Amino acid sequence: MFFMDFKLKFELVPDSCWYSNLRSLLTPAQWDIVRRDAYARAGGRCMICGAAVKRLEAHEQWEYDEKNCVQKLANVIAVCRACHGVIHFGRTSLMGGEREAEEHFIKVNACSYADFRAALGQANADHTRRNRVAEWSLDLSYLKKFV
């Protein structure tokens, strides 16, 4: 199975971008507009696994142009807590939720444990490579539609 075909993927942020997120760059009112747009598009369902949940979480999806050292905001989606835990697998592991995240990844992607390990290995390799960039420039052009 090709990792690109997985609905639920690991999104390991480069170390230099840790503790920096869209909420910290926007005012609370601006962040509310962006996250509520994601919630409205989701219609009460996780935009990855499709689960109907009472509480969705806003997740920032980033693209990385390693040649030009640009971290681009591609989308903000609404996800369930379980999918969000997989996306941020490193943090989830540190918090003791590794097993649950592993099971959710396998269930959502209808894959094997070997596929899970291989996808995680690829995500870690991507993370290591992106950590070679000393400083990322931010492209927040996605937000233009909200201004």
Side-chain angles (χ1 to χ4, degrees):
M1 179 171 275
F2 293 97
F3 306 131
M4 299 304 275
D5 295 335
F6 287 155
K7 293 191 305 186
L8 179 55
K9 300 174 179 135
F10 306 107
E11 296 179 28
L12 306 181
V13 177
D15 294 358
S16 63
C17 302
W18 286 7
Y19 308 111
S20 167
N21 58 48
L22 200 53
R23 288 179 301 283
S24 65
L25 299 172
L26 302 176
T27 67
Q30 290 170 324
W31 173 243
D32 277 348
I33 291 168
V34 174
R35 71 180 177 86
R36 287 181 184 179
D37 173 74
Y39 299 155
R41 287 184 284 123
R45 294 190 169 275
C46 175
M47 294 174 84
I48 295 177
C49 73
V53 294
K54 290 184 180 181
R55 184 178 180 274
L56 290 166
E57 299 177 359
H59 170 66
E60 305 153 24
Q61 292 183 312
W62 299 94
E63 295 173 349
Y64 298 92
D65 176 348
E66 295 171 45
K67 180 180 177 188
N68 296 303
C69 305
V70 176
Q71 178 188 23
K72 180 180 180 180
L73 179 63
N75 200 1
V76 176
I77 62 172
V79 296
C80 68
R81 184 178 184 155
C83 282
H84 215 184
V86 171
I87 292 166
H88 296 293
F89 190 75
R91 182 181 188 285
T92 299
S93 295
L94 291 173
M95 303 296 286
E98 184 173 349
R99 183 73 181 143
E100 294 83 4
E102 173 189 305
E103 290 171 358
H104 191 67
F105 181 95
I106 290 168
K107 175 183 163 192
V108 170
N109 291 313
C111 68
S112 68
Y113 178 74
D115 292 331
F116 163 82
R117 296 303 307 172
L120 183 57
Q122 182 61 56
N124 282 320
D126 293 343
H127 180 254
T128 298
R129 190 183 64 253
R130 290 179 182 144
N131 277 337
R132 293 187 190 121
V133 173
E135 188 172 342
W136 292 90
S137 296
L138 274 181
D139 176 347
L140 299 176
S141 56
Y142 172 85
L143 298 175
K144 287 181 182 174
K145 65 183 178 179
F146 298 103
V147 180

